[in-house]
Amino acid sequence: EMFQCEEDTAIEQWKLRRLIKSLDASSGAGTSAITLIVRSGQDITLTNQKVKEELGEATNIKSRVNRGSVRSALTSIQQRLKRYGKTPKNGPVIFCGEMSNEDGREKEKKVFIDFEPFKPISRSHYLCDSRFHTEYLAKLLEDDDKFGFLIMDGNGSLFGTLQGNYKEVLHKFNVDLPKKHGRGGQSALRFARLRLEKRHNYVGKVGELATQFFISGDRPNIKGLIVAGSAELKSDLTTNTDLFDLRLAAILIPPLLDISYGGEPGFNQAIELAAERMANVKIIQEKKVISKFLDEVAQDTGKSCFGIKDVIHALETGAVETLTVWENLEMERLSICNPHRGNRQILYLTPEEAKNHDLYRDKDSGVELDIESEPFLEWIVDTCRGFGAKLQFVSDRSNEGHQFCKGFGGVGGLLRYRVDFEVFNDVASVDSDDEFM
């Protein structure tokens, strides 16, 4: 269930990145591009009232064309808001206006985009400009990961989380550990034994609480764990496999941080010290994903595939368990149909290959073929789950990511079982004699 949730979030993030890229590439004349973001919990009637006021003020715009565009956009937004009985859980986001692409090649057309983001935006915004304001959406992509913090020293421990700018203290407690030197009249050996016993019990309690707060349903509920403190207690905990949960050890972000304070001041100091490491977590996880794929390829187990042709075959046979795709893969899926014969062919081509005009006409009869085209990434996002595969997006920012994109075409799969692609390719080459093109 958690894997499913992570995959859904990754897909939503990819869709949002795609939308931001598309909106950033468009511009409008005058101030006809309207961005409306309604925060979660805001009364929808207040939003309606705001739009109504803006519609009244739009009559003061001097330019006749711009005035008409702004009023048209506001009227469309007003009509859309009327369909909401109440503000959706994450608040609606609406972009509307007369826009053309950045180079001005395409004629201006009315754009209307209305959706509920995958997580709420904390503030409402209304902006009327020559471009759409996507920076508020971009913040949703930055602040998604939740990190756990464990601050421990000889005076007590604190358990907290950080998600974006939202910091939360889950639990804290104090402890009174004996100092290294006892008072006169006590057996030195007995004192040392009692001191070690109390330290061990304290470290054990911290380990149990860490599992309680940072593990949910047998899996970590955080992206990474940062452990900080001012004594050697933190290393006593993290190096003892009996006291420290192995599931947390797997997501521990090294190194252990030395800080000057305990409690909440220590929490704040640890956040500052760990900022760069938290930013690198996505890159590290991406490296693990690609390294696993590269290991399968190197070992020649037969349980991996790459290149669009083999990946599509493996998907269609239900063999792909995990599909890894470069998030900026430029590829088109073309469905080509001969209207006279009715037979259909599916091609996966780069934008450059898709410019070949010979593809769009039957070479024997000269008949113009019916073409349906869509970006491969959009198609795979919609259909991947139907093939029983888990979809993972990667970037080319790491060395491994760059190798995956350049050396393996930016698409690869880990398989449930061995697939003999040579047999499939031999069959495909025989069948190709019967194709209509």
Side-chain angles (χ1 to χ4, degrees):
E1 198 172 303
M2 189 161 176
F3 270 134
Q4 188 72 62
C5 185
E6 283 178 9
E7 185 185 354
D8 289 345
T9 302
I11 288 172
E12 289 298 330
Q13 287 177 329
W14 177 84
K15 286 180 178 176
L16 197 56
R17 274 194 292 271
R18 194 87 166 178
L19 175 63
I20 290 169
K21 190 177 175 184
S22 157
L23 292 174
D24 284 347
S26 61
S27 60
T31 56
S32 63
I34 294 173
T35 304
L36 177 65
I37 296 168
V38 184
R39 68 173 171 79
S40 173
Q42 180 172 310
D43 191 342
I44 203 77
T45 54
L46 292 175
T47 310
N48 272 314
Q49 188 62 37
K50 170 73 176 169
V51 173
K52 192 176 178 182
E53 286 169 12
E54 291 292 336
L55 197 52
E57 288 181 19
T59 53
N60 299 325
I61 298 171
K62 289 180 182 177
S63 164
R64 181 184 58 81
V65 174
N66 193 36
R67 183 172 63 242
S69 297
V70 171
R71 286 182 64 81
S72 168
L74 285 167
T75 304
S76 298
I77 291 171
Q78 201 174 38
Q79 294 298 322
R80 184 68 190 92
L81 288 173
K82 283 178 182 174
R83 296 187 199 173
Y84 289 111
K86 61 176 184 176
T87 304
K89 181 186 166 195
N90 294 336
V93 174
I94 298 174
F95 296 100
C96 186
E98 298 278 339
M99 307 297 283
S100 65
N101 61 351
E102 216 165 37
D103 56 17
R105 285 183 195 168
E106 288 183 14
K107 189 182 170 186
E108 277 197 0
K109 61 180 180 182
K110 188 167 183 178
V111 172
F112 189 93
I113 294 165
D114 159 45
F115 69 101
E116 182 185 352
F118 64 94
K119 59 186 251 197
I121 295 176
S122 56
R123 286 182 61 192
S124 296
H125 300 276
Y126 172 85
L127 297 138
C128 197
D129 202 347
S130 60
R131 65 178 182 90
F132 291 127
H133 285 261
T134 58
E135 57 268 31
Y136 306 106
L137 295 182
K139 284 181 182 174
L140 294 182
L141 299 172
E142 291 169 13
D143 301 340
D144 194 52
D145 294 333
K146 184 190 280 187
F147 292 91
F149 281 79
L150 167 52
I151 315 298
M152 69 180 300
D153 61 17
N155 298 314
S157 291
L158 178 145
F159 303 84
T161 58
L162 178 75
Q163 185 169 21
N165 294 323
Y166 180 63
K167 182 180 70 176
E168 184 181 6
V169 176
L170 303 175
H171 180 67
K172 57 183 176 179
F173 71 95
N174 295 326
V175 68
D176 185 19
L177 292 178
K179 301 290 181 278
K180 284 189 177 180
H181 303 288
R183 296 174 188 86
Q186 288 184 323
S187 159
L189 284 173
R190 180 171 174 273
F191 179 80
R193 191 178 70 247
L194 287 172
R195 178 179 168 273
L196 287 172
E197 194 177 308
K198 284 191 176 181
R199 278 173 64 94
H200 182 80
N201 290 343
Y202 168 57
V203 172
K205 182 182 178 183
V206 172
E208 284 175 19
L209 288 171
T211 301
Q212 182 184 320
F213 289 116
F214 299 131
I215 300 283
S216 300
D218 284 342
R219 295 183 58 78
N221 54 28
I222 49 174
K223 204 77 171 176
L225 177 65
I226 289 120
V227 177
S230 58
E232 69 273 13
L233 286 163
K234 58 185 182 291
S235 56
D236 291 348
L237 171 66
T238 53
T239 54
N240 190 325
T241 53
D242 293 329
L243 301 179
F244 192 55
D245 197 305
L246 289 172
R247 293 166 293 183
L248 293 178
I251 59 163
L252 182 67
I253 299 174
L256 304 178
L257 301 177
D258 288 312
I259 53 177
S260 316
Y261 315 100
E264 290 195 46
F267 187 10
N268 294 334
Q269 192 184 2
I271 288 170
E272 285 179 29
L273 292 172
E276 193 178 329
R277 293 179 184 90
M278 288 189 286
N280 289 334
V281 164
K282 276 189 178 174
I283 299 290
I284 293 163
Q285 288 176 329
E286 200 171 273
K287 283 183 173 186
K288 284 181 183 175
V289 166
I290 299 169
S291 294
K292 188 177 177 185
F293 169 78
L294 295 175
D295 286 347
E296 286 287 344
V297 173
Q299 291 167 23
D300 199 19
T301 57
K303 292 177 74 176
S304 64
C305 63
F306 56 89
I308 196 72
K309 189 177 178 183
D310 287 355
V311 166
I312 293 297
H313 170 64
L315 277 171
E316 288 172 345
T317 57
V320 179
E321 187 168 27
T322 305
L323 179 66
T324 304
V325 182
W326 179 29
E327 63 186 11
N328 292 323
L329 183 66
E330 292 290 335
M331 186 168 285
E332 295 292 314
R333 181 182 186 270
L334 269 61
S335 175
I336 303 174
C337 179
N338 187 318
H340 290 185
R341 299 182 186 178
N343 43 358
R344 187 174 293 276
Q345 186 185 30
I346 304 294
L347 296 178
Y348 298 90
L349 305 172
T350 64
E352 202 57 43
E353 290 169 339
K355 288 178 184 174
N356 183 356
H357 296 294
D358 293 342
L359 292 169
Y360 309 119
R361 197 171 288 278
D362 184 74
K363 61 183 177 185
D364 295 328
S365 63
V367 170
E368 195 169 321
L369 304 168
D370 295 334
I371 308 286
E372 290 175 16
S373 173
E374 68 175 320
F376 169 75
L377 284 178
E378 290 183 14
W379 174 78
I380 201 66
V381 161
D382 292 335
T383 58
C384 192
R385 199 166 291 165
F387 291 123
K390 181 190 170 201
L391 182 60
Q392 297 181 132
F393 288 109
V394 294
S395 72
D396 59 353
R397 292 192 295 270
S398 65
N399 288 336
E400 290 84 351
H402 186 76
Q403 184 185 352
F404 177 74
C405 298
K406 297 298 177 189
F408 295 89
V411 57
L414 292 175
L415 309 180
R416 294 185 172 89
Y417 47 83
R418 287 178 64 95
V419 175
D420 194 337
F421 292 104
E422 288 180 13
V423 171
F424 158 68
N425 290 332
D426 289 345
V427 171
S429 62
V430 171
D431 289 347
S432 64
D433 294 340
D434 304 325
E435 286 174 6
F436 64 86
M437 287 183 67

